[in-house]
Amino acid sequence: MEPQRHCCLLGLCILLSLAGVTVQGSPNKVDSNCARCPQHARCVNRTHCTCEPGFRTTNEKEFFSDLLEICEDINECAGPNGVQCGPNADCKNVDGSYNCSCVTGFSLPSGEKQFKNSSENKCQDVDECRHNSSLCKPHGVCINVPGDYTCTCQPGFGKSQKDTSKICTDIDECRAKQFPCHNTANCTNTQGSFKCQCPKGYRPLPDSKDVTPNTICQGISFTSWTLPPGVTSKSLSHFLNNTQNHIQNFTAVTAEEVFKGLLEEVDQLLGNPGDMEALPISTRLKVATTLLTGLEDVLRTLSQALPSGQLHTRTSKGTELALERQFPENRAESINLRHRDTQMMLNRDVVWGKNHSDSAVVGLISNHGLKNLLANATLKVDPKKEVSLKKKYETSVRGGQPVLLSTVSSIFVSNPDTQTLSSPVTLAFNHPDVPIKWKQEVICAFWERDSDGSGHWATRGCEKTGSSDTSTTCTCTHLSSFAILMAQYDIEDWSLSVITQVGLAVSLVCLLLCILTFLLCRSLQGSRNTIHLHLCLCLFVGSTIFLAGTTNKTYEVGLQCRLVAGLLHYFFLAAFCWMCLEGLELYFLVVQVFNAHGLRKRWLFLLGYGMPGLIVAISAAIYSEGYGRERYCWLSLERGFLWSFLGPVTVIIALNAIIFVITVWKLTQKFSDINPDMKKLKKARALTITAIAQLCVLGCTWVFGLFLFGPETQVLNYIFTILNCFQGFFLFLLHCLLNKKVREEYRRWICIATKSKYSEFSTSTSGTATQSRSLRPSQESGM
């Protein structure tokens, strides 16, 4: 028992010691005799504790003496019996108390933040929109509501999912469940809106507009680019096939590559024309027209799939393309496109025309390789230009053979009505410095399509506004393919016209007299008379045709002009063939010791008329379009067709020259014989001299005539005109007036006409005496 008693006393002592420590460290000590109280409590009667106002014990006893009891805060705002602060106010509990405060959006008129009961509640609404003007900006409008505000969003903007009442953000219409664009168009979201645009390679229908919700797109369709009718060319067919491949691969991303590929195909075609070089001039001009117009159509169509802005590309050979596409919102007053050698400026009305809602395209393409393809193209001068040239040269002027100086630059726009522009287009070209000669001028010209698909240079509607040695500026009232040309004008010289008219009239009269003489003169019967007769007949017909129809006033190579050229070809060749027959006749007479009777008449006619007919038939079969030119109805310079005349003429002149050399050599041998037959020798000498003189008359005439249908000088022009127009007179003088037998026949005819007595004996005697006197010195010198 004793040990247990000691243990209880020891435990009581320890507990009293701990209690004493607690009482000594209590902060609520009232006096030294009061029991210890917990936090938020005070001592009552030195024996008990009670909680301060706003606190209570866990068992809700007002007084307590338990040393382990605590005081906790009373939540006056909780429960159905809690403090009621009134409308638009909230109760907020604090340690040992509470506060009432206005909810967000309300405030006390006094400006106080807190109050204690509903009787003090004077809450009123706060207008946030008035106090903060930046609320709901920039895409919404602030609207005040009791205790709050809300934002009304602008079209294209909506409430954020985080704050559906106040923050306005862009709505992505393209991601909406209901697609806002037509299924043929692409949707592009923008701030507050969206755009419906056609995919690259497509364009909007005419009744819809790109970038609008009702846009309906269609694929870009190309006009058929095929060979011109009647043209067969492997090179051109290969070019068109390659072009089609480039078009099929066109996208906006590859636009510049496709455009450059098309231009390189053009360079390849013009740089290596292949079988196009063999095409006749009219066909080559058709190809040039098809190439120019077709390339414009393709580039104009492809440009409609480009975005707004400019595109510029250039090939290694210098072909350049500049494009610009505009929409109504970025339409400029004027457009300026520049190349290395060409610059263009035009007004926006020229590009847009009557279209004010759709997009518009303008392009400029310049090419250096068209010079050979357009070679020998004609120039048509408009009436206004002809009047100014007539004043300048004081005579009638027609367009001559032009020389291309600059690049050929084509302009194309969306506006289909470009024949008469509301304002002119201005073009500036750089070109080489060339000397300007008489009858030459640097002009502005454009390529004009003919009704048959060919083309020519023209000046209508284009004027030169400025020029220097290496540059020229033009203004034109229509759009086409333009270039700077060196024009060689065909100026009508009145003096040459007078010489031609008078000379041909005299020649025709003289040739007619020759024909009558050879038909009626009995003393001239023989093969040489036949040759001279048909020589004069051919020249008479050829000169008549030359006088009547060699000048082509219409500049159109029609059937009539081709017929005139063919007849001239035939009859002038026939004249040279009969001249050649005279040389052969002389060969048989002299070289074969004067025993030959010459060629029979059937051989004369076969060679005199059959040989030129065969040459003309072969020439027409090979190249029928070689007959006729724009300036003259004569043989074309294309494919060397002029040599179908020059070749035989050269051979005939050379052959006759050889025959005459042999004849003179043989005559020299005969004269050196011991016993020469003087009568025959004199006859052969006379025939030889006559034939050589005839060769000089006809040969020299056509030697100078070679320059008539090409670039001639004024001196050569006069020489040819005089020799050609008076060659009938020269033949009449040579074969009639200088022939003794013909003179005697003329005297007889005159006597018969005048009824005078004609004495053949006296005439012969007089002639014999004269001949004897002329031979005596030679005989004496020979002795």
Side-chain angles (χ1 to χ4, degrees), residues 590-609:
V590 176
V591 176
Q592 296 186 8
V593 199
F594 313 109
N595 294 323
H597 298 286
L599 296 171
R600 296 181 179 274
K601 283 190 176 183
R602 64 172 178 269
W603 288 105
L604 292 176
F605 285 104
L606 182 61
L607 295 175
Y609 290 112

Side-chain angles (χ1 to χ4, degrees), residues 264-470:
E264 288 178 346
E265 291 294 339
V266 174
D267 290 343
Q268 179 68 21
L269 175 68
L270 299 178
N272 302 283
D275 55 359
M276 288 202 310
E277 291 182 333
L279 296 176
I281 175 61
S282 59
T283 305
R284 282 198 288 108
L285 296 181
K286 287 182 180 180
V287 172
T289 304
T290 302
L291 184 63
L292 289 171
T293 57
L295 188 60
E296 288 181 21
D297 292 339
V298 169
L299 295 176
R300 181 188 296 107
T301 306
L302 289 177
S303 301
Q304 296 173 357
L306 294 175
S308 176
Q310 290 192 359
L311 182 145
H312 188 278
T313 184
R314 176 184 172 91
T315 66
S316 59
K317 294 185 179 180
T319 299
E320 287 189 82
L321 171 66
L323 290 172
E324 182 169 350
R325 189 183 185 197
Q326 292 186 348
F327 290 94
E329 57 268 20
N330 66 342
R331 184 168 55 177
E333 289 295 330
S334 63
I335 298 176
N336 192 333
L337 297 179
R338 181 188 297 270
H339 288 174
R340 180 172 297 182
D341 297 319
T342 311
Q343 184 177 358
M344 174 206 69
M345 185 176 68
L346 44 74
N347 191 279
R348 69 176 183 181
D349 293 336
V350 175
V351 180
W352 289 83
K354 298 180 180 180
N355 175 27
H356 298 287
S357 58
D358 203 355
S359 63
V361 173
V362 57
L364 174 67
I365 176 173
S366 301
N367 189 282
H368 290 267
L370 287 167
K371 187 173 184 179
N372 293 332
L373 197 61
L374 297 176
N376 297 317
T378 58
L379 170 66
K380 287 188 177 180
V381 180
D382 63 286
K384 182 179 178 181
K385 182 71 174 178
E386 285 184 350
V387 171
S388 64
L389 291 175
K390 188 174 182 179
K391 291 180 180 179
K392 178 180 179 181
Y393 293 105
E394 298 181 351
T395 184
S396 298
V397 177
R398 300 199 310 171
Q401 195 74 21
V403 177
L404 185 62
L405 296 182
S406 68
T407 62
V408 179
S409 297
S410 302
I411 302 174
F412 56 91
V413 295
S414 301
N415 179 17
D417 186 15
T418 58
Q419 293 302 312
T420 303
L421 302 180
S422 58
S423 59
V425 58
T426 301
L427 294 131
F429 294 89
N430 295 329
H431 55 77
D433 183 11
V434 293
I436 307 298
K437 301 179 180 178
W438 187 69
K439 297 195 303 182
Q440 291 182 344
E441 183 184 15
V442 175
I443 63 171
C444 303
F446 71 98
W447 187 253
E448 186 173 40
R449 181 186 178 95
D450 293 332
S451 58
D452 62 350
S454 184
H456 61 272
W457 293 110
T459 60
R460 173 181 48 83
C462 290
E463 294 184 359
K464 182 173 65 175
T465 58
S467 181
S468 65
D469 293 338
T470 59

Side-chain angles (χ1 to χ4, degrees), residues 8-42:
C8 289
L9 290 175
L10 181 60
L12 181 60
C13 289
I14 294 173
L15 182 61
L16 291 174
S17 299
L18 292 174
V21 172
T22 302
V23 172
Q24 293 175 0
S26 174
N28 300 306
K29 178 180 179 182
V30 179
D31 54 39
S32 58
N33 296 321
C34 185
R36 304 303 305 166
C37 295
Q39 188 178 10
H40 304 301
R42 56 186 176 85

